[in-house]
């Protein structure tokens, strides 16, 4: 499900990188002018912070993920890469359900996540809990196609986009939420919300990011 929500986000990222990193030049740029931006992406973490046993291997877990990221050169204290999540951050093992996602956000803060898209499972504890998790997070929760039915505005826990500077390049990141979320989440957990068309949301948001 999250692929549907995140692929448009990645397309916007690439478009903005092209616009920011390759402005018109009077002459061909030298190789030293080429800048690299690395994007690390996870999705559907579902609160699995501890490694899991599959009978043969020990797989997953936040510590294992962080070790793998560091092997690829990721440093949460540096500005040389982006770490993003496509959402569905909780609802899985007991630690996730007991703390209603707070444990996941605590770990994500330590790992240095830059932004997350709001996934359908992120509504599973209701909007009040989602707002608490957004307040706890040291990174923005993104959804450009989410709106309050009564006001037409984004709910206070959501942002349409964020901008980060990575390796000297300003990068715009736009989030989208799955349009069919109301069909797969308890109605009371998304009451008063509209999940708008992806393309319309991008047409409205991308010019604001580029401005």
């Amino acid at each position: 499900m999250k692929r549907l929500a995140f692929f448009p986000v990645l397309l916007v990222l690439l478009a903005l990188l092209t616009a920011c990193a390759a402005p018109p030049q009077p002459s061909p740029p030298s190789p030293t002018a080429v800048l690299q931006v690395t994007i690390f992406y996870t999705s559907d973490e579902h609160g699995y912070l501890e490694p899991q046993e599959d009978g043969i291997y020990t797989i997953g877990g936040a510590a294992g993920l962080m070790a793998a990221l560091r092997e690829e050169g990721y440093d949460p204290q540096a500005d040389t890469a982006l770490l993003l999540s496509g959402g569905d951050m909780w609802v899985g093992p007991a630690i996730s359900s007991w703390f209603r996602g707070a444990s996941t956000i605590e770990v994500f803060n330590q790992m240095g996540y830059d932004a997350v898209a709001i996934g359908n499972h992120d509504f599973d504890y209701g909007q009040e809990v989602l707002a608490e998790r957004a307040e706890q997070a040291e990174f923005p929760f993104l959804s450009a196609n989410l709106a309050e039915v009564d006001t037409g505005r984004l709910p206070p826990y959501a942002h349409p986009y964020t901008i980060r500077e990575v390796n000297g390049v300003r990068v715009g990141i736009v989030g989208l939420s799955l349009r069919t979320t109301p069909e797969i989440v308890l109605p009371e957990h998304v009451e008063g919300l509209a999940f708008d068309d992806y393309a319309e949301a991008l047409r409205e948001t991308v010019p604001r990011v580029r401005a």
Side-chain angles (χ1 to χ4, degrees):
M1 292 180 184
K2 204 49 55 234
R3 290 180 179 177
L4 293 175
F6 189 77
F7 277 8
V9 180
L10 187 55
L11 289 174
V12 174
L13 261 173
L14 294 175
L16 290 168
L17 284 171
T18 301
C20 295
Q25 298 287 335
S27 59
S30 66
T32 57
V34 176
L35 298 175
Q36 176 174 313
V37 174
T38 301
I39 302 171
F40 295 107
Y41 165 68
T42 65
S43 183
D44 296 87
E45 300 86 5
H46 286 289
Y48 282 97
L49 303 178
E50 297 181 325
Q52 305 296 305
E53 302 286 345
D54 70 351
I56 301 176
Y57 301 105
T58 299
I59 57 176
L65 173 60
M66 193 63 182
L69 291 172
R70 287 190 180 278
E71 286 181 3
E72 296 296 327
Y74 174 68
D75 180 357
Q77 304 303 319
D79 63 352
T80 54
L82 287 170
L83 180 56
L84 307 174
S85 170
D88 283 2
M89 294 173 281
W90 41 77
V91 185
I95 188 173
S96 176
S97 299
W98 182 264
F99 293 105
R100 295 192 168 193
S103 53
T104 300
I105 297 301
E106 182 177 352
V107 170
F108 275 23
N109 284 340
Q110 293 297 314
M111 293 179 69
Y113 271 81
D114 291 285
V116 301
I118 300 176
N120 54 282
H121 280 292
D122 299 325
F123 290 96
D124 281 354
Y125 299 131
Q127 293 184 64
E128 183 177 347
V129 172
L130 181 56
E132 291 174 0
R133 298 290 79 80
E135 181 69 22
Q136 177 191 359
E138 297 172 4
F139 48 85
F141 284 21
L142 305 180
S143 181
N145 66 319
L146 187 63
E148 295 176 331
V149 173
D150 291 342
T151 66
R153 295 192 294 265
L154 280 167
Y157 51 79
H159 302 270
Y161 67 89
T162 188
I163 297 176
R164 292 287 187 269
E165 185 165 318
V166 185
N167 212 19
V169 179
R170 284 170 57 82
V171 181
I173 307 163
V174 180
L176 296 169
S177 294
L178 192 65
R179 288 200 67 192
T180 56
T181 294
E183 302 172 18
I184 52 181
V185 172
L186 289 175
E188 58 266 31
H189 289 173
V190 291
E191 185 176 359
L193 294 179
F195 293 77
D196 297 330
D197 180 73
Y198 302 135
E200 290 182 8
L202 291 176
R203 278 193 292 268
E204 178 180 342
T205 305
V206 172
R208 294 165 56 192
V209 180
R210 285 177 164 165

